[in-house]
Amino acid sequence: GPEADAAKLQMLEQLPDVEILPLAATAGRLDLQALMSILGARKLTSLLVEGGSHVNGSFLEAGLVDRIYAFIAAKVVGGSGGLTPVGGRGIAEMAAGMPVQVDAVKSLGQDFLITGRVLAKEV
């Protein structure tokens, strides 16, 4: 984005196989549709997004998520100021949530991996 730290960008550019894609931002948020257009023009058809609450929420709100891979740790964390896995506007009622068809739940030691496909909401 336009406010990226120049020193960090310069460091990243020195790494092998790293390319910086400058993107416009609106209200401090990168233009994800522009990113998808750039990647699509390069014939990239699959993208792994591994991010925090804000990144996850942005991709979901933009309708850019087909599949979800959710790792659930068998630990209790939180607090009133803790981030959720998905940020953004949120919902007022459970019925307004984004439906996901769960394909598999896999145990990974004491943790779990839940995979699923994001479904279109019924109108």
Side-chain angles (χ1 to χ4, degrees):
E3 296 179 9
D5 182 276
K8 286 182 182 178
L9 289 176
Q10 190 174 34
M11 250 181 13
L12 287 170
E13 288 173 334
Q14 303 306 313
L15 296 172
D17 302 317
V18 171
E19 179 182 359
I20 306 295
L21 298 174
L23 294 174
T26 304
R29 292 183 158 231
L30 295 178
D31 185 343
L32 297 180
Q33 295 296 343
L35 173 62
M36 295 298 108
S37 293
I38 292 168
L39 298 178
R42 295 174 180 206
K43 309 280 191 249
L44 294 170
T45 59
S46 183
L47 176 68
L48 170 66
V49 175
E50 182 180 1
S53 177
H54 297 296
V55 170
N56 294 339
S58 294
F59 273 87
L60 284 162
E61 285 180 0
L64 298 172
V65 178
D66 296 320
R67 297 197 52 77
I68 291 181
Y69 295 77
F71 290 90
I72 309 295
K75 296 184 181 197
V76 177
V77 297
S80 61
L83 288 177
T84 64
V86 178
R89 293 185 308 248
I91 58 168
E93 299 177 0
M94 188 61 79
M98 186 176 293
V100 175
Q101 172 64 51
V102 174
D103 296 329
V105 177
K106 183 176 181 178
S107 175
L108 302 170
Q110 290 190 351
D111 300 334
F112 297 93
L113 169 61
I114 301 172
T115 59
R117 186 171 42 89
V118 175
L119 302 175
K121 288 198 62 145
E122 295 180 14
V123 182

